[in-house]
Amino acid sequence: MVTTRRKSAVTYKDASDDEMDVDGFDHDYDAPSSASKKSLKRAAEDELEYDSDEDEKPKKKKTRTGKTTKRKGKVTARSLMKDLFTTLPLDLIYEIFGHLHPLDLLQVARTSRLLRSHLMSKRSISVWKTAREAVLPSVPDCPKDQSEPQWAMLLFTHDCTICGTPRIQKVDWNLRLRGCEMCFKAHIIYSRTATKTYPEIEDLDTVLEVLPWTNVGGWAHGHSSSRKFYFSKHIIKMAQIVDDFQLRVDAGVKGARAEFDEWIEKKKAEATEQAESGKELKQWAQEAARTRNVTNEQLKKQRKEAIIAKLVELGHDPRDVQNAANTRRSSASNIFDSTTQLSDAAWKRIKAKAEMLAETEKQARLDIEQRPIRDARRKVAKARYEKFKETYDSSPDGFMPDESKFIDIPAIKSVIQSDGDGVSSGIFDDVFDQLPAFFDEWRRVRRVELARVIVESQSTAGDAKPDPVTAEQEGILLLATSFFATCTQYGGYGHDESSVHWMRTLHGHFPRRYHPSSGNARSPFEEMRCIRVVPESVERAKELIRAVGLDPNTATSLEMDALDARFWCNACSVLQNKAIPVARSWRNCVSFVNFCLLALH
């Protein structure tokens, strides 16, 4: 909470924390003069603020003698660093530091207290300035409201000033603040809401009047406006300073009011100057970003051309290499879309992945080039299959794959996708010679699977289940009670009408039933997951079989078809207001969902 002048004592103690402050704000405020300056001394200076040199006294160097002394104890980096500064002239050390990048200087300053004491001294300003001026492309000069270390921190690091989140690009140049989206939303205060946010601050208008501002709010997503927004930390610190000035004015200190008014005018001018400087810096940042993007694109282009050249030298087709370089796959982007120059070591590291991408594009290109040939081969295979089925008489039950499943047979598919441009029927000769044996096994597997479905539907818990293979050999699929239903009735699955022959009712919207001995019934044996036994259908079939005088346990579907009996339902006819009952075949009765078992005649 901000300390107001009503709550503070004459011996004011600042409430600022000891954490690193990189906003460049503290050092630029002038405290009131006379004895109150001591009460306004901050508890801790900014880490990136220059250390005072006033009280420093140069230490007298020891005179070297001809004798050499051996170091006692373990040699450490700290001891070597001390020796460096005691043996080398300070000018030489600063000359070495001047060849570093400003970001490197920041890292060096955090290495040890000794290095920090030198780099954060005002005597090292030439080091920072020299390092900054050597940066390419050039960067703006350090503003008056920033120290060189603070300016280097803002320009060359990408951590959020408030929370430390890395890789932050958003910078408010008016406030000299780099921040993440969440921190800007939480700490950028609109001038009209500042009263509600800080009700304990007296003279808030004076505080805001002398503060630097921005016209981009925390929720504005980078869009500027005519409003003024302030950084919360700036408000708190400035409120403390204004409060101390007011204390001196209220205490009747001679000249305090004039000093306060002069200070306010000075800060107003500095805030206005900082706002103008912020506009120029923002324009520089935008132009630098555009230049950087152009440079990065050029570097990416050079790297991509270098990789393409190396892949072509290895024998890859230029078309495949170019497609690999232009693909949007993330793996390709990591290789080609990089600004790092392609060195021999880098090429050795990415060579295998680059060749894999080229091979992938080659396969895609061949697939496109071979597509017309493969389509023609499919047509030839389908036409030959139709002729094959006309002459193939070893399938009395008619169970054979349809064209779509025939094309997916591994042997047929291998011929279709083989290299070359041949599309004649002769390329399938070897495969068609093996089809009879393949179809025999294909039918056997599916008939056994259907037998398993029937056996499981007839078994109860705890009973031993008959062997499906034996049941199929004994003719379980030929029984008139061996009925199945599709998943359409219970699971909502559908089937291809052109490849499946289902026993239909008189009304197409009724559920469909299937019997294994129906002619042209093929696809159910390929889509076994959609086949099931429905107990209601079996019971209806048994009633019909008994009605014609046959045994439900032994009667076959062929025997029922031979009788060609007709059935009708009096109840259904009455409900439909029909004078003449509708006569139905036994298959139609089983599939008809409204058929009444008690009304059979």
Side-chain angles (χ1 to χ4, degrees):
M1 178 180 293
V2 178
T3 305
T4 64
R5 68 173 182 272
R6 292 181 180 178
K7 298 178 181 179
S8 61
V10 175
T11 56
Y12 177 86
K13 184 177 181 180
D14 183 37
S16 62
D17 53 45
D18 293 333
E19 296 178 359
M20 184 182 73
D21 181 10
V22 294
D23 57 17
F25 198 76
D26 291 340
H27 71 286
D28 208 36
Y29 288 145
D30 300 326
S33 59
S34 73
S36 62
K37 289 185 178 180
K38 296 181 180 179
S39 65
L40 293 175
K41 186 178 181 181
R42 298 294 178 254
E45 290 187 352
D46 190 347
E47 179 188 331
L48 298 182
E49 192 60 43
Y50 289 123
D51 293 334
S52 176
D53 295 330
E54 295 178 358
D55 298 332
E56 290 186 1
K57 295 182 179 179
K59 295 182 179 180
K60 192 174 182 180
K61 294 186 178 180
K62 295 181 178 180
T63 305
R64 292 189 179 184
T65 61
K67 298 181 180 180
T68 58
T69 57
K70 294 184 179 181
R71 183 182 301 277
K72 296 181 180 181
K74 185 178 180 181
V75 178
T76 63
R78 179 175 297 180
S79 61
L80 291 176
M81 188 65 66
K82 288 182 178 180
D83 286 348
L84 176 66
F85 281 93
T86 55
T87 57
L88 293 179
L90 194 59
D91 293 342
L92 180 58
I93 295 176
Y94 282 172
E95 180 67 22
I96 296 173
F97 285 163
H99 291 279
L100 297 179
H101 190 277
L103 184 59
D104 297 329
L105 287 177
L106 290 172
Q107 301 295 339
V108 170
R110 293 168 177 170
T111 304
S112 68
R113 292 182 179 180
L114 179 62
L115 289 174
R116 180 192 181 280
S117 65
H118 283 276
L119 289 175
M120 291 302 140
S121 171
K122 291 183 179 180
R123 291 176 300 178
S124 66
I125 185 172
S126 60
V127 175
W128 291 92
K129 187 175 180 180
T130 302
R132 173 175 53 78
E133 292 175 348
V135 173
L136 292 176
S138 61
V139 297
D141 293 337
C142 179
K144 296 179 181 179
D145 55 274
Q146 296 276 286
S147 66
E148 285 287 352
Q150 289 169 339
W151 188 232
M153 186 79 172
L154 183 63
L155 290 178
F156 303 111
T157 65
H158 294 85
D159 297 339
C160 175
T161 306
I162 303 169
C163 69
T165 301
R167 296 186 293 276
I168 300 300
Q169 301 297 327
K170 186 176 181 180
V171 177
D172 192 302
W173 296 102
N174 283 28
L175 298 177
R176 315 292 196 246
L177 185 67
R178 184 184 295 273
C180 62
E181 196 72 27
M182 296 299 295
C183 287
F184 271 124
K185 290 179 179 179
H187 296 279
I188 301 300
I189 309 299
Y190 179 36
S191 58
R192 293 187 179 180
T193 61
T195 305
K196 296 181 180 179
T197 307
Y198 302 103
E200 71 278 9
I201 297 180
E202 299 181 8
D203 299 328
L204 182 60
D205 291 340
T206 303
V207 172
L208 298 182
E209 197 175 19
V210 298
L211 277 176
W213 73 88
T214 180
N215 57 1
V216 180
W219 296 81
H221 302 288
H223 301 289
S224 60
S225 65
S226 59
R227 302 175 179 180
K228 290 185 177 182
F229 301 87
Y230 303 87
F231 183 34
S232 59
K233 189 175 181 180
H234 292 179
I235 295 176
I236 295 173
K237 291 185 177 182
M238 182 60 77
Q240 295 170 349
I241 296 176
V242 171
D243 190 60
D244 288 319
F245 270 111
Q246 289 289 359
L247 281 174
R248 299 183 67 245
V249 172
D250 294 344
V253 178
K254 184 178 179 180
R257 169 54 62 182
E259 182 184 358
F260 189 24
D261 293 340
E262 182 183 355
W263 180 84
I264 290 176
E265 294 302 322
K266 177 184 176 182
K267 290 305 171 185
K268 285 183 180 179
E270 291 178 354
T272 303
E273 183 180 358
Q274 184 167 332
E276 294 298 325
S277 172
K279 293 180 181 179
E280 297 176 359
L281 290 173
K282 184 177 181 181
Q283 293 176 357
W284 165 81
Q286 293 173 347
E287 183 62 29
R290 287 191 289 267
T291 303
R292 184 168 57 252
N293 291 337
V294 172
T295 303
N296 289 341
E297 289 300 323
Q298 293 175 350
L299 294 175
K300 290 179 182 180
K301 183 179 179 181
Q302 294 173 2
R303 178 184 174 91
K304 183 181 294 185
E305 291 174 351
I307 296 176
I308 291 175
K310 287 187 175 294
L311 288 174
V312 172
E313 289 178 1
L314 293 175
H316 293 278
D317 192 298
R319 295 173 296 175
D320 303 330
V321 176
Q322 192 66 42
N323 290 336
N326 296 331
T327 186
R328 294 297 181 182
R329 298 189 184 95
S330 59
S331 57
S333 299
N334 295 336
I335 295 177
F336 293 95
D337 295 339
S338 175
T339 57
T340 306
Q341 185 178 4
L342 185 67
S343 61
D344 293 339
W347 170 244
K348 184 178 180 181
R349 185 172 60 254
I350 68 172
K351 178 182 176 181
K353 186 180 290 186
E355 288 195 281
M356 181 186 68
L357 290 172
E359 285 296 328
T360 302
E361 294 300 326
K362 177 182 178 181
Q363 294 300 323
R365 176 176 59 83
L366 293 179
D367 288 341
I368 296 175
E369 294 175 354
Q370 290 288 106
R371 190 173 298 167
I373 297 176
R374 292 172 181 174
D375 291 342
R377 290 174 179 174
R378 289 189 184 93
K379 292 181 180 179
V380 171
K382 290 179 181 179
R384 183 164 179 176
Y385 183 51
E386 290 298 325
K387 293 182 180 179
F388 174 83
K389 290 190 292 185
E390 294 175 0
T391 59
Y392 183 62
D393 56 358
S394 299
S395 179
D397 50 13
F399 298 155
M400 297 178 67
D402 62 0
E403 292 181 354
S404 61
K405 296 298 185 293
F406 171 76
I407 294 299
D408 289 336
I409 294 176
I412 298 295
K413 194 173 183 178
S414 176
V415 175
I416 293 175
Q417 296 181 350
S418 61
D419 297 334
D421 55 359
V423 294
S424 63
S425 177
I427 62 176
F428 295 98
D429 288 346
D430 294 340
V431 178
F432 272 83
D433 291 342
Q434 302 173 8
L435 282 185
F438 173 81
F439 286 158
D440 290 343
E441 179 63 18
W442 183 87
R443 285 194 302 273
R444 186 193 68 79
V445 171
R446 282 153 180 77
R447 292 181 67 87
V448 170
E449 183 64 18
L450 278 179
R452 183 192 62 78
V453 173
I454 297 175
V455 167
E456 290 181 352
S457 67
Q458 294 175 352
S459 302
T460 58
D463 295 342
K465 298 180 181 179
D467 182 25
V469 177
T470 304
E472 190 276 330
Q473 293 174 353
E474 293 176 352
I476 192 173
L477 297 179
L478 300 178
L479 297 178
T481 54
S482 296
F483 268 89
F484 305 90
T486 67
C487 296
T488 304
Q489 181 181 6
Y490 294 100
Y493 298 99
H495 287 276
D496 183 5
E497 297 293 344
S498 64
S499 62
V500 182
H501 176 73
W502 296 100
M503 291 301 300
R504 288 184 171 278
T505 63
L506 295 179
H507 305 284
H509 65 275
F510 288 134
R512 298 173 289 187
R513 297 293 189 270
Y514 164 75
H515 197 283
S517 60
S518 300
N520 299 325
R522 299 182 297 259
S523 187
F525 286 85
E526 301 162 20
E527 304 293 341
M528 299 304 299
R529 66 181 186 276
C530 291
I531 301 298
R532 67 183 65 190
V533 172
V534 181
E536 293 85 351
S537 299
V538 176
E539 293 302 323
R540 291 174 187 176
K542 289 181 179 181
E543 293 293 334
L544 295 175
I545 294 170
R546 294 190 188 97
V548 297
L550 297 179
D551 185 0
N553 296 323
T554 58
T556 64
S557 58
L558 295 179
E559 292 175 342
M560 291 294 293
D561 289 339
L563 291 175
D564 197 19
R566 290 293 183 270
F567 307 85
W568 70 87
C569 177
N570 286 336
C572 295
S573 300
V574 172
L575 291 175
Q576 295 175 6
N577 296 323
K578 293 183 178 181
I580 302 176
V582 177
R584 307 177 186 278
S585 67
W586 75 281
R587 292 179 182 272
N588 188 263
C589 286
V590 173
S591 62
F592 188 41
V593 294
N594 290 331
F595 184 78
C596 181
L597 295 177
L598 299 178
L600 290 174
H601 296 286

